[in-house]
Amino acid sequence: MGQKTPQIYSVELNGAKDMKQRDKGDDKDKYRGLRSTCLELRKNDHKERVTKEIDLDDHKLSNKELENKYHTNIVTGLSSTQAAELLARDGPNALSPPQETPEIIKFLKQMVGGFSILLWVGAILCWIAYGIQFSNDKSSSLDNVYLGTVLALVVILTGIFAYYQEAKSTNIMASFSKMIPQQALVIRDSEKKIIPAEQLVVGDIVEIKGGDQIPADIRLLFAQGCKVDNSSLTGESEPQPRSCEFTHDNPLETKNIGFYSTTCLEGTATGMVINTGDRTIIGHIASLASGVGNEKTPIATEIEHFVHIVAGVAISIGVLFFIIAVSMKYRVLDSIIFLIGIIVANVPEGLLATVTVTLSLTAKRMAKKNCLVKNLEAVETLGSTSIICSDKTGTLTQNRMTVAHLWFDNQIFMADTSEDHFKQTFDQSSGTWASLSKIITLCNRAEFRPGQERVPIMKRVVVGDASETALLKFSEVVLGDVMEIRKRNHKVAEIPFNSTNKFQLSIHKTDDPTDKRFLMVMKGAPEKVLEKCSTIMVNGQEQPLDQSTAEAFYTAYMELGGLGERVLGFCHLYLPADEFPETYSFDVDAMNFPMSNLCFVGLLSMIDPPRSTVPDAITKCRSAGIKVIMVTGDHPITAKAIAKSVGIISANSETVEDIAKRLNIAVEQVNKQDAKAVVVTGMELKDMSEDQLDEVLSSYPEIVFARTSPQQKLIIVEGCQRQDAVVAVTGDGVNDSPALKKADIGIAMGIAGSDAAKNAADMVLLDDNFASIVTGVEEGRLIFDNLKKTIAYTLTKNIAELCPFLIYIIVGVPLPLGTITILFIDLGTDIVPSIALAYEKAESDIMNRKPRHKKKDRLVNKPLAVYSYLHIGLMQSLGAFLVYFTVYAQEGFRPSTLINLRVEWEKDFVNNLEDSYGQEWTRYQRKYLEWTGYTAFFIGIMIQQIADLIIRKTRKNSIFQQGLFRNKVIWVGIASQIIIALILSYGLGSITALNFTMLRPQYWFVAVPHAILIWVYDEVRKLFIRLYPGSWWDKNMYY
Amino acid sequence: MRRQLRSRRAPVFPHSYRYRLDDQDEVNQNYLADEEEEAEEEARVMVVHNLEEEEEEDEVKEEEEKNEEEGQGQPTSNTWWRKLQIMNEYLWDPEKRMSLARTGLILVIYFFFYASLAAVITLCMYTLFLTIGPYMPTFTERVKPPGVMIRPFAHSLNFNFNVSEPDTWQHYVISLNGFLQGYNDSLQEEMNIDCPPGQYFIQDGNEDEDKKACQFKRSFLKNCSGLEDPTFGYSTGQPCILLKMNRIVGFRPELGDPVKVFCKVQRGDENDIRSINYYPESASFDLRYYPYYGKMTHVNYTSPLVAMHFTDVVKNQAVPVQCQLKGKGIINDVINDHFVGRIIFTLNIET
C-alpha cells in the first residue's frame, strides 16, 4: 500500500532511501533474489576468499625448493646486498595505513559543506551586484565588495576552523597508533642480527621465540614446542601448535606457516619470510576492511537534515521576497541585495563551528573517561546506539583465567574473582587444602617474570599459559612466595601437559627433611585424573574411592562445568621411600614410576571472570534501552555462564533449552515465545537465512552468539542494522575490522586491540572496559540533548535577524539591522553562549530512556523549529524592533514618519531630509543614525539572547529545578555576550566600516522587559509540558 | 514475512500502517493516539487490508502500479502530484488524524498568542510615545552640526550651462523661482512678523503654544531675488546660488555670532573666481531666525538663506567651489560628510 509515497518522502527529506526500502513489503520480493546472492557471497568464508586471493603455496614446498624460490640459504640467510635490493623492490615490511583522504580534499570539503555553499552564493551575488553597479556608475560605493569579501572570509575562516578541529582530533589518534618499532632476529650474511622488523624482506631467515610477535608471514623451517596465538587472525582462542610439517592444503590451516602480527606464545622456531607488508594475510584482511563502506554517522545525517531545513527556509524566503521585491518595483539589483541579506540572516554562520567545538569538548571529556574518539561525530553515535555487539574476552571479562571455585572435602568453595581485592575466604584449615595447595604450587611450570616484587600479584607478568598463570597467582596470593616453596621442594622430574595425555605431572623432593619420600603431583582433566586414583582425600585423610565419593565428584564436576568453568583435577602420591630411594633416577619417557592408585585431592575450576563493573554497566544499558548482544568465539556454555553472570542474560530469563530442561520436554516442543534469551552458535548462524537472523534478532531481547567466527560478526552487525538499530561493535582482532567499519560505531580495544582494529574503529577504549562504553553512551546522549538546545538557541535569533529585512522591504523603514551586524551576532556574541550549552547537565536521568530512533527522533524537529522561529524568535524581533523604534523616535524620526521613508532615506543627494520635527538631515547623518539603529537592534537581540540562553538550559524542567548557577559556563557565555557588545559599541564605535556606534546607555535596557517576558513565557510552556505529559501541548511544544 | 515484519514494528496497527509514516512527527505521537482516532484507524485498516489482498494476487508490476493508484486515490499519478500532496499535507495538515476542531484549536491558540504579542508591543510603543514629546525631539546630537544645501538643486552638484543657450539653464531658473515662492515679500509680510535683527528670537511659553516666525523676504536677496533679473544672472554667466542651512530644533549659533558663509575655489587656481557677491551683504544667517521650535508649533518658520552671486568666474572650465559655514560651534571639516558645514559644487559656464 502506497509504499512509494514514504519512499519519495524519505528521499526528499531523510535521504535514507535504502534503509526504508528494506522494511517495505513489496520491494522485498523484487530484491530478495538479488540480496540472497549477496548474502551467499558474504557467507563464503573470508578464509577461503583470502586464500584464493593470495594463492599461497609455499607451505607445500620443501626447504630446498624454498631456497631456490627465494634465492636464499637456510643456514647463511640472505646477503645484505640482496636484502637491500629486495627491500627496495618490495618496500618496507609494514601495513600501509588506510587510504587517507588527501588533506586538500578534506579542506575543500569544509569549504563547501553545510551552509558554506549558501554563503558563497551570497558572496558571489555581492560581487555581481557590485559589478553591475560599477558598470553603471564608476563611483559606486564598495559596500557590496566588502560584504562579499566578509562573507567569503567567514566561510574560509569557519572552514579553516572546522578543518583544524578535525585535524586535531585525528592527530590524537595518529600519536596513539605510533607503536614501539618491532625488532626481528634475522640471519643475514651468516650472522644473527637484530634489525627493525620493517626491514625484513622475503627470503630472510628469522628466529622467533615465545613472547615474540611474528614479524612477517613465515614458513617454518624448524620448530620446537612452538605455539602461536592466531586469535587476531582466525579468532581461535586456543594456542595453535606450529611445526615444520605441511599438514593442510589451506595455508591458514597448515601448521608450517606463521602469520604476521600473531604472537608466538611458547617455544622457538626458525622460519623463512615468504610475504611482507601488505602482501601478508593480515595485510589482505586489513585491505578488505577498507573496502567496507563507512556508514554515515547519525549526527552527520542530523546535521545534514538541519542544514537542509535552514537552507530550505533561507532559499524559499529569499526567493519569495525577491519576487515580492521585484513586483514592488524595486530594482533587480536591490532585490539581489535583499536576497543576500535574507540568506545571511537565515544562515547560522557560527553554528557548525560551534557544533564541532561542542563535539570535541565532549570527545575530550570522554577521553578522560577512557573513550578515545577518533571521529568527532562518533561522540553522538554512541549516544544513539541501540544495540551493542560486545566481545566477551577482555571487554566483558578481565581476560585472565582466575580460580573461581574449589572442590575438596566434598564441598564446593568459592574463590574471590574480583580484579583487585584478592581475599580468599574459604576454609583453609582442612588437611586436604594443605595437600591441594601443595599440588597447585608444585605442579605448575608458570613463573613470574623476575623483578616484579613491588607489582601487585594480580598485575604481574607471568610466563606460562593461562590456566597455569591463574593457578600460580592463586597460590601466590593464598600461600605467599611460591617460588620459594618450589625451591624447597626440588623438582626431579616432569611431564608437561599435552593434549593426548591431558595431564601434567611432576615429582619433587619434599621440604620436610625427615621425610625422604618423593612426592608425585599431578593435575589434568578431572576424569583422566580420577581414572588414575584409587583413594580420595577427605579432611586430610585418605579414603578409598568408592561409588558414592565418585558420584559426589561427578556432581561437582558437572556443576562447575555447567558454570562454564574450566575444571582441573588434582591428585598426588607419596612414592614409598624403599622403592624410590633418594638417588632414584626418574625417566619420564620410560615412566618408571606408578601411574595408578593415586590419591585424588580435589578439583579447581577457573574462569575468565567478568569485570566487576560490567554487570552494573549492563543493567544501565538495559535501563537505557540498549540491547547488549554478546558475540564470542568461546563455547556456548562458557558464553552463557558469563552472559548470565554479567546480566546479558538476566536472572529470570530462560533459553529454549532451559525451558526444555526444566519442563523435561524436547526442545522442539517448547513454545519459543516463552524464551527470552537465546544462545546461537556459529554453526547455527551459518545455516540461517537473512530472514531467520532478523527473526532471532528481533524476537529475543537477550542474545548470545557463541562459537562465531569473527567473520560472522559482520553478518550479525548487518542483521542488527536491518532492524534500524544503531549498532556499536567492540572488537580487537584484525578480523574484526570489517565489522568495526560496518558498524555505526566501531569500538576497538586500546590494550588488546590490534592496529588494524584501531584503524577501522571510530572509538578506542583505552581500558578495554565495557563500563567505559556506558559512560560514553551517557555523554553521547547528553550531547544530543545539548546540541538540540544549542541549535534552538541559535535558530531563535535568525527570525530576529530576518524580520528587519522583511519589514525593510515591505514597509520601507530604514534598514534596522545591517548584514555585517548580523555577522557580528552570529560569529561574535552568540558563539560562547552556544558552546556553553554543551556544558549543561542532563535534565533527568538520560540513561533511563530509550535510545533515540534515528529516523524519528530528529535533532531538529518540527516543534523545535516552530517554537524557535514562530514563538521566541518572533518575541525577540518585537523586542529588538522596540529598541530600534525608540532610538529613531528619540532622535527625531517617529515610527509613522519612518514608513516608506526608505527611498528618500537612501538617496545620496538628499542632504536635507526632514524628520518628524522638521529638522533636516544630511545623508551621512542619516547613515550614522542608521548605524545607531543597527547597534540598537543588535543590543536588543543580544539582551534577549541572554534570556534565550537561560531558557534553553532546559527543555522540560523549570530553570529553577535545573539550578540557575549550576552551569557556570553559561554565565561566562552571558558575560562574553555583554562584553563583546560593549566593545563593539563603545570600543569600536568609531570605526565606521563596522557600522557600530556608541549607543546611549539607557537603550541597553529597553529590551529587558521583553527578555523577561520570554523567560516567563518559556517557564509557562515548560510548566504545561510537565503538568500534561502526552497532551497536545506536550507534543507540539516539546522539542 | 512481510506482514510479520510489519506487525513486529507496529504492533498496535497490524496492517498497512507504515505507509502513512511519512510524517516523522506523527510517529512519536501515534502511540498516544486518542481512542476515537484508533477507531478511525481501524476503519482504515479494514479497507487497506482488503486492498492488500487484492494486490497480492496481481503481478508484481501491476501491484506496484496499483499501489500508486490506491495510495493516492488518483488514476493518473506522477511524482509531482505526490510531492504536491505531501507538501499540501505538510503545510495544512501536519497531524494527519487531527480533526478539524484541532486545526481550529491551533489557529485559535496562535491567534491569541499573536494577539497578546501585538498587545504587548502596542503597550510598549504607547509607553515609548509617552516618553517622547511631540514638539521637541529628545536628542538632537545626531543631526548636529547643521548640514548645508544649495538651490537650485537637481540631483547634481555640477552646474553646467551655456550662457547663449537658455535651454541649458532654464531649469535652474524655474527651480529657483519655485523655491523662492515661499519667500515672496507679500506672503512673508502676511504670515510672519518682522522681528528685530541681531538677536535670538526666543519665544518662551508652553511647548505646545504656536510660535511666531520671522520674515525672510525674497527681496533680501537683492540681485539674486529674481525680481530684478528674472534669470538670476544665468543669462549673463553670473549665476546665483542660494545656500540654506539645515534646520535643527533648538539650534543657536554660539555666543551670539551669526553664522557666515564663505566660498572659495576648492581646488586649483584661487583666481578662477574673482568676485562673489553675497546677499544679504553680511553673508550670514541672522540670529533672529534662531532658535527653531519644530514643525508642530513653528509652522511658518522660514529658513534664512544666503545667496552667492558668482559675478566673475572663469568661463569654459570646470571650477570646483566650496562654500563653508563659519562660526563658533560650526564644524565644516567632517571627513565622511561633505554636507556638514560646507558644500562643494562645480561651476562650468560656457559662453
Side-chain angles (χ1 to χ4, degrees):
Chain A
M1 280 315 296
Q3 283 86 352
K4 278 286 171 199
T5 309
Q7 263 178 39
I8 279 152
Y9 190 89
S10 65
V11 174
E12 294 298 306
L13 286 166
N14 300 340
K17 172 173 71 176
D18 53 347
M19 307 302 282
K20 281 219 165 173
Q21 260 179 356
R22 290 197 168 161
D23 319 336
K24 298 295 175 273
D26 292 336
D27 301 311
K28 210 154 172 116
D29 299 338
K30 242 188 349 191
Y31 293 121
R32 184 174 284 154
L34 187 75
R35 244 183 292 130
S36 56
T37 355
C38 291
L39 186 74
E40 267 151 35
L41 269 178
R42 203 181 300 130
K43 282 205 168 181
N44 270 344
D45 226 347
H46 279 224
K47 265 188 186 179
E48 281 169 37
R49 261 160 72 183
V50 171
T51 320
K52 268 180 208 154
E53 275 167 29
I54 54 175
D55 193 24
L56 192 68
D57 58 358
D58 290 336
H59 53 297
K60 298 173 190 162
L61 303 180
S62 73
N63 289 4
K64 204 75 218 152
E65 286 167 321
L66 279 170
E67 275 186 328
N68 291 336
K69 185 175 175 190
Y70 293 108
H71 314 289
T72 184
N73 184 298
I74 289 175
V75 184
T76 61
L78 291 170
S79 72
S80 300
T81 46
Q82 259 182 311
E85 274 168 29
L86 287 170
L87 188 64
R89 189 193 72 190
D90 294 343
N93 171 35
L95 294 186
S96 54
Q99 278 261 314
E100 296 267 332
T101 337
E103 295 297 306
I104 185 74
I105 300 283
K106 278 192 201 164
F107 185 71
L108 287 180
K109 257 189 186 162
Q110 297 287 1
M111 289 289 163
V112 295
F115 297 120
S116 304
I117 283 287
L118 270 187
L119 292 180
W120 280 122
V121 169
I124 289 163
L125 283 179
C126 276
W127 291 324
I128 290 175
Y130 176 74
I132 297 171
Q133 277 175 340
F134 187 77
S135 62
N136 290 341
D137 174 11
K138 300 273 181 264
S139 65
S140 54
S141 81
L142 286 166
D143 283 0
N144 282 323
V145 178
Y146 293 147
L147 182 60
T149 314
V150 168
L151 288 181
L153 266 180
V154 164
V155 180
I156 291 170
L157 287 180
T158 47
I160 287 175
F161 178 77
Y163 171 76
Y164 168 74
Q165 281 287 347
E166 283 268 349
K168 217 169 71 178
S169 69
T170 321
N171 280 346
I172 301 174
M173 207 44 221
S175 65
F176 184 79
S177 63
K178 278 263 178 295
M179 301 264 289
I180 310 146
Q182 209 194 328
Q183 304 282 330
L185 183 61
V186 63
I187 302 174
R188 279 189 190 167
D189 304 327
S190 327
E191 278 176 55
K192 287 189 181 177
K193 289 181 188 168
I194 291 183
I195 62 165
E198 278 197 2
Q199 294 178 9
L200 285 182
V201 294
V202 284
D204 264 333
I205 309 297
V206 291
E207 286 188 7
I208 50 168
K209 58 179 193 303
D212 284 353
Q213 211 178 35
I214 296 177
D217 279 359
I218 57 171
R219 157 73 157 75
L220 299 184
L221 305 168
F222 162 80
Q224 190 178 38
C226 180
K227 277 187 184 169
V228 291
D229 174 12
N230 271 357
S231 61
S232 74
L233 184 65
T234 59
E236 295 156 306
S237 52
E238 296 291 314
Q240 306 290 311
R242 293 283 111 157
S243 67
C244 32
E245 288 102 43
F246 161 55
T247 56
H248 201 287
D249 269 345
N250 186 340
L252 283 173
E253 303 285 349
T254 185
K255 281 188 174 174
N256 59 354
I257 290 200
F259 297 106
Y260 178 46
S261 92
T262 59
T263 327
C264 174
L265 294 172
E266 55 187 89
T268 56
T270 309
M272 180 187 294
V273 176
I274 51 174
N275 273 319
T276 59
D278 289 332
R279 291 167 300 279
T280 57
I281 305 244
I282 290 282
H284 277 274
I285 294 184
S287 63
L288 257 188
S290 57
V292 177
N294 233 341
E295 299 279 300
K296 199 177 216 168
T297 58
I299 195 72
T301 322
E302 288 306 317
I303 286 175
E304 194 171 86
H305 176 236
F306 159 69
V307 167
H308 285 168
I309 289 180
V310 171
V313 169
I315 292 172
S316 44
I317 295 184
V319 169
L320 181 69
F321 275 82
F322 183 80
I323 293 166
I324 290 178
V326 170
S327 57
M328 279 176 78
K329 305 264 169 9
Y330 281 98
R331 287 186 303 153
V332 174
L333 192 68
D334 286 341
S335 310
I336 289 177
I337 291 169
F338 300 157
L339 183 64
I340 297 164
I342 288 171
I343 290 176
V344 173
N346 256 309
V347 172
E349 287 85 4
L351 187 62
L352 294 188
T354 314
V355 170
T356 318
V357 172
T358 309
L359 288 177
S360 62
L361 280 174
T362 309
K364 256 186 205 160
R365 213 153 47 198
M366 283 164 81
K368 265 188 206 153
K369 293 176 181 169
N370 289 321
C371 292
L372 192 63
V373 181
K374 251 174 76 183
N375 170 5
L376 275 189
E377 284 162 354
V379 169
E380 192 279 328
T381 314
L382 202 50
S384 31
T385 297
S386 50
I387 296 183
I388 300 177
C389 291
S390 178
D391 249 0
K392 180 180 77 75
T393 314
T395 315
L396 297 173
T397 65
Q398 301 171 16
N399 195 18
R400 55 157 180 251
M401 276 293 176
T402 307
V403 174
H405 292 98
L406 302 95
W407 179 82
F408 56 85
D409 295 348
N410 284 328
Q411 235 182 314
I412 289 178
F413 298 93
M414 229 160 59
D416 185 5
T417 54
S418 66
E419 283 101 326
D420 33 4
H421 322 276
F422 210 82
K423 289 183 226 121
Q424 299 299 354
T425 48
F426 60 91
D427 177 26
Q428 297 177 10
S429 58
S430 159
T432 320
W433 166 244
S435 305
L436 184 59
S437 65
K438 200 157 222 170
I439 307 170
I440 294 168
T441 320
L442 297 180
C443 187
N444 192 335
R445 286 157 51 98
E447 286 177 19
F448 289 114
R449 283 246 171 102
Q452 301 189 85
E453 286 72 22
R454 274 192 228 130
V455 183
I457 294 167
M458 297 315 290
K459 296 223 169 93
R460 289 189 200 165
V461 181
V462 176
V463 184
D465 76 19
S467 335
E468 298 228 302
T469 305
L471 293 172
L472 173 66
K473 287 184 173 171
F474 177 70
S475 44
E476 180 86 6
V477 166
V478 182
L479 303 170
D481 196 342
V482 171
M483 305 314 279
E484 185 58 35
I485 299 174
R486 287 200 203 155
K487 252 184 228 162
R488 277 182 301 182
N489 299 274
H490 182 68
K491 192 186 321 184
V492 290
E494 178 179 46
I495 300 175
F497 185 86
N498 71 44
S499 45
T500 37
N501 286 348
K502 293 211 155 108
F503 67 83
Q504 177 181 356
L505 175 150
S506 58
I507 301 169
H508 300 259
K509 291 181 180 163
T510 58
D511 53 354
D512 183 359
T514 56
D515 191 350
K516 293 295 175 205
R517 291 177 300 174
F518 283 102
L519 172 64
M520 185 171 91
V521 287
M522 182 200 253
K523 75 167 182 226
E527 65 278 5
K528 293 274 177 197
V529 172
L530 196 73
E531 273 172 20
K532 299 185 169 59
C533 295
S534 57
T535 58
I536 184 165
M537 188 177 270
V538 176
N539 297 325
Q541 304 301 317
E542 275 188 43
Q543 289 175 6
L545 187 69
D546 54 26
Q547 196 62 36
S548 65
T549 39
E551 230 158 65
F553 161 85
Y554 275 112
T555 323
Y557 181 26
M558 291 314 291
E559 190 177 341
L560 295 177
L563 293 173
E565 298 178 0
R566 188 186 291 176
V567 189
L568 288 177
F570 294 83
C571 64
H572 71 183
L573 182 70
Y574 283 97
L575 300 178
D578 45 349
E579 260 181 77
F580 300 93
E582 237 176 302
T583 52
Y584 189 83
S585 143
F586 292 96
D587 184 347
V588 290
D589 294 322
M591 302 269 245
N592 54 354
F593 42 83
M595 283 299 291
S596 56
N597 295 330
L598 311 180
C599 169
F600 191 84
V601 181
L603 290 173
L604 228 92
S605 68
M606 285 163 296
I607 197 162
D608 179 10
R611 288 165 179 270
S612 50
T613 47
V614 168
D616 196 34
I618 301 263
T619 320
K620 269 191 187 163
C621 280
R622 188 146 294 160
S623 63
I626 302 172
K627 192 160 155 182
V628 183
I629 295 178
M630 183 197 269
V631 183
T632 177
D634 224 327
H635 282 282
I637 296 172
T638 320
K640 194 173 154 194
I642 292 288
K644 277 211 155 160
S645 65
V646 296
I648 286 180
I649 296 180
S650 47
N652 50 3
S653 53
E654 294 172 308
T655 62
V656 174
E657 291 80 15
D658 287 338
I659 297 173
K661 203 171 152 195
R662 174 166 57 86
L663 300 176
N664 215 357
I665 52 174
V667 172
E668 293 74 30
Q669 289 174 298
V670 178
N671 181 4
K672 287 194 175 169
Q673 307 286 310
D674 297 341
K676 268 178 74 190
V678 68
V679 178
V680 183
T681 64
M683 292 306 288
E684 290 166 347
L685 187 60
K686 214 171 191 173
D687 299 333
M688 272 184 194
S689 72
E690 200 165 304
D691 290 340
Q692 282 170 313
L693 178 61
D694 286 350
E695 178 86 36
V696 167
L697 287 172
S698 56
S699 49
Y700 295 100
E702 298 167 352
I703 307 173
V704 170
F705 288 98
R707 274 266 166 238
T708 46
S709 77
Q711 280 76 17
Q712 284 176 320
K713 236 180 191 181
L714 191 61
I715 295 167
I716 296 169
V717 170
E718 281 166 342
C720 293
Q721 278 172 341
R722 277 196 300 275
Q723 317 285 310
D724 264 357
V726 177
V727 186
V729 170
T730 68
D732 45 18
V734 177
N735 45 15
D736 289 336
S737 46
L740 287 174
K741 207 124 194 231
K742 179 73 199 168
D744 295 284
I745 178 167
I747 304 168
M749 298 297 133
I751 303 168
S754 62
D755 274 5
K758 284 177 200 164
N759 269 330
D762 304 296
M763 186 179 271
V764 178
L765 281 191
L766 292 181
D767 58 355
D768 290 14
N769 188 348
F770 185 82
S772 306
I773 299 179
V774 179
T775 49
V777 169
E778 205 167 347
E779 290 290 345
R781 288 187 173 189
L782 185 58
I783 201 65
F784 187 79
D785 282 6
N786 285 347
L787 275 181
K788 256 189 176 178
K789 295 172 186 172
T790 303
I791 288 176
Y793 170 77
T794 317
L795 282 189
T796 305
K797 62 156 193 304
N798 275 5
I799 285 296
E801 290 169 354
L802 180 67
C803 282
F805 262 99
L806 308 189
I807 300 288
Y808 167 74
I809 295 172
I810 303 290
V811 186
V813 298
L815 185 62
L817 187 68
T819 319
I820 304 271
T821 325
I822 291 176
L823 291 178
F824 271 105
I825 300 175
D826 286 0
L827 297 170
T829 54
D830 263 8
I831 289 291
V832 184
S834 43
I835 294 173
L837 283 170
Y839 288 94
E840 203 50 54
K841 299 273 181 303
E843 273 175 70
S844 53
D845 195 353
I846 37 176
M847 293 305 277
N848 272 339
R849 59 175 198 225
K850 295 230 158 313
R852 74 182 184 90
H853 190 291
K854 66 179 171 187
K855 279 184 218 139
K856 292 176 193 162
D857 307 330
R858 309 306 304 251
L859 183 65
V860 177
N861 49 18
K862 204 175 73 187
L864 187 147
V866 167
Y867 186 65
S868 299
Y869 276 146
L870 296 184
H871 292 226
I872 302 296
L874 221 67
M875 290 166 91
Q876 227 178 44
S877 341
L878 288 182
F881 266 109
L882 183 68
V883 191
Y884 162 85
F885 280 127
T886 309
V887 168
Y888 273 80
Q890 296 208 330
E891 294 290 349
F893 289 93
R894 290 158 152 272
S896 48
T897 319
L898 288 178
I899 292 166
N900 270 330
L901 192 62
R902 192 192 80 88
V903 180
E904 285 297 303
W905 182 275
E906 288 182 351
K907 277 184 185 156
D908 278 333
F909 53 80
V910 175
N911 279 290
N912 54 348
L913 184 74
E914 220 175 88
D915 66 13
S916 320
Y917 295 92
Q919 307 185 99
E920 289 166 320
W921 296 68
T922 67
R923 170 66 181 134
Y924 187 77
Q925 285 168 338
R926 296 198 302 272
K927 231 180 203 169
Y928 201 76
L929 180 59
E930 193 175 313
W931 295 340
T932 313
Y934 294 175
T935 316
F937 210 96
F938 166 79
I939 299 296
I941 292 182
M942 187 277 290
I943 294 290
Q944 293 175 89
Q945 276 295 77
I946 293 179
D948 191 26
L949 179 63
I950 291 173
I951 63 167
R952 299 300 183 182
K953 277 165 69 76
T954 60
R955 295 185 295 149
K956 194 176 210 162
N957 286 351
S958 163
I959 295 299
F960 303 101
Q961 283 170 301
Q962 180 82 348
L964 202 48
F965 298 97
R966 242 173 73 196
N967 181 357
K968 304 277 187 304
V969 191
I970 290 280
W971 292 95
V972 174
I974 292 174
S976 86
Q977 272 183 308
I978 296 173
I979 290 167
I980 291 174
L982 282 171
I983 291 173
L984 285 176
S985 172
Y986 297 115
L988 306 175
S990 50
I991 302 172
T992 52
L994 298 182
N995 299 356
F996 279 96
T997 66
M998 295 196 191
L999 202 65
R1000 285 170 186 276
Q1002 62 262 42
Y1003 294 141
W1004 287 64
F1005 300 97
V1006 176
V1008 169
H1010 277 260
I1012 294 169
L1013 184 71
I1014 288 176
W1015 190 348
V1016 171
Y1017 179 67
D1018 193 61
E1019 280 295 325
V1020 171
R1021 175 189 74 96
K1022 288 170 187 163
L1023 179 71
F1024 277 113
I1025 289 174
R1026 290 196 302 275
L1027 284 182
Y1028 306 107
S1031 65
W1032 173 85
W1033 183 268
D1034 184 18
K1035 280 183 244 165
N1036 284 281
M1037 301 296 271
Y1038 179 65
Y1039 53 86
Chain B
M1 187 59 224
R2 154 183 164 201
R3 206 168 286 181
Q4 272 178 348
L5 262 173
R6 251 185 225 160
S7 60
R8 214 181 292 132
R9 300 248 163 71
V12 189
F13 312 119
H15 294 293
S16 303
Y17 171 73
R18 289 187 62 79
Y19 87 100
R20 292 186 306 105
L21 289 191
D22 43 4
D23 189 324
Q24 310 144 17
D25 300 294
E26 187 200 10
V27 175
N28 294 336
Q29 298 149 9
N30 283 325
Y31 297 94
L32 305 158
D34 290 349
E35 277 180 37
E36 53 172 69
E37 283 168 358
E38 263 180 55
E40 195 186 325
E41 173 65 32
E42 268 169 32
R44 273 198 221 196
V45 165
M46 291 292 288
V47 179
V48 162
H49 183 63
N50 295 336
L51 291 174
E52 200 177 19
E53 278 181 354
E54 274 173 39
E55 282 165 26
E56 276 166 4
E57 290 161 17
D58 294 336
E59 295 277 322
V60 178
K61 236 181 173 178
E62 279 180 33
E63 188 179 310
E64 249 183 33
E65 281 172 13
K66 190 128 186 165
N67 276 340
E68 287 172 12
E69 286 169 24
E70 299 295 341
Q72 301 309 318
Q74 284 290 328
T76 51
S77 62
N78 56 50
T79 45
W80 277 106
W81 169 252
R82 252 181 267 129
K83 274 185 194 172
L84 203 73
Q85 206 175 40
I86 291 160
M87 206 57 191
N88 187 36
E89 282 166 353
Y90 197 76
L91 285 177
W92 301 112
D93 196 7
E95 281 205 43
K96 289 257 171 57
R97 281 168 296 140
M98 190 173 58
S99 59
L100 204 64
R102 281 210 172 160
T103 323
L105 183 68
I106 290 176
L107 290 179
V108 166
I109 286 180
Y110 269 88
F111 176 77
F112 276 109
F113 175 62
Y114 288 133
S116 36
L117 276 190
V120 168
I121 194 76
T122 314
L123 185 74
C124 291
M125 293 303 270
Y126 179 72
T127 326
L128 169 64
F129 285 126
L130 288 184
T131 62
I132 50 171
Y135 308 108
M136 297 283 275
T138 319
F139 305 112
T140 52
E141 88 278 358
R142 292 277 183 259
V143 72
K144 277 181 196 166
V148 168
M149 266 313 278
I150 52 167
R151 289 290 189 280
F153 180 72
H155 305 326
S156 166
L157 292 166
N158 297 321
F159 293 85
N160 284 324
F161 63 93
N162 193 324
V163 177
S164 51
E165 290 172 32
D167 281 354
T168 56
W169 46 264
Q170 199 59 46
H171 60 281
Y172 295 122
V173 176
I174 296 167
S175 161
L176 280 173
N177 258 325
F179 174 70
L180 288 174
Q181 285 308 308
Y183 291 85
N184 281 341
D185 289 15
S186 54
L187 189 71
Q188 286 294 320
E189 278 161 9
E190 183 194 331
M191 306 293 292
N192 296 341
I193 57 163
D194 188 12
C195 27
Q199 63 186 64
Y200 296 123
F201 183 50
I202 292 172
Q203 302 172 68
D204 292 327
N206 285 334
E207 255 191 355
D208 56 349
E209 272 175 31
D210 279 348
K211 303 293 191 291
K212 298 203 165 53
C214 288
Q215 293 173 354
F216 189 97
K217 296 183 185 166
R218 193 168 171 169
S219 55
F220 292 178
L221 301 176
K222 312 269 168 58
N223 285 341
C224 284
S225 63
L227 299 172
E228 288 124 47
D229 177 4
T231 64
F232 298 92
Y234 285 85
S235 58
T236 57
Q238 295 171 311
C240 278
I241 290 172
L242 307 181
L243 189 138
K244 182 175 78 74
M245 198 163 78
N246 280 352
R247 286 192 297 268
I248 292 166
V249 173
F251 175 76
R252 279 188 263 178
E254 269 176 52
L255 299 172
D257 282 336
V259 178
K260 289 199 165 199
V261 177
F262 174 71
C263 296
K264 61 169 193 212
V265 177
Q266 188 219 5
R267 244 188 349 241
D269 190 354
E270 298 244 336
N271 295 324
D272 282 354
I273 300 175
R274 277 181 288 274
S275 84
I276 308 171
N277 292 339
Y278 299 95
Y279 310 107
E281 282 83 357
S282 61
S284 64
F285 301 100
D286 198 287
L287 293 181
R288 61 178 156 170
Y289 300 106
Y290 303 97
Y292 173 54
Y293 287 101
K295 74 173 176 186
M296 285 284 273
T297 50
H298 221 163
V299 183
N300 292 325
Y301 181 82
T302 315
S303 292
L305 303 169
V306 168
M308 289 93 67
H309 197 189
F310 296 90
T311 46
D312 193 356
V313 185
V314 171
K315 304 290 193 299
N316 299 323
Q317 127 182 22
V319 182
V321 185
Q322 170 169 278
C323 290
Q324 288 180 314
L325 299 182
K326 300 254 165 152
K328 290 230 166 66
I330 295 290
I331 297 169
N332 53 24
D333 53 358
V334 178
I335 298 165
N336 291 316
D337 195 345
H338 297 287
F339 293 90
V340 163
R342 59 173 166 169
I343 188 159
I344 297 159
F345 53 93
T346 51
L347 293 174
N348 188 357
I349 308 167
E350 291 166 22
T351 51

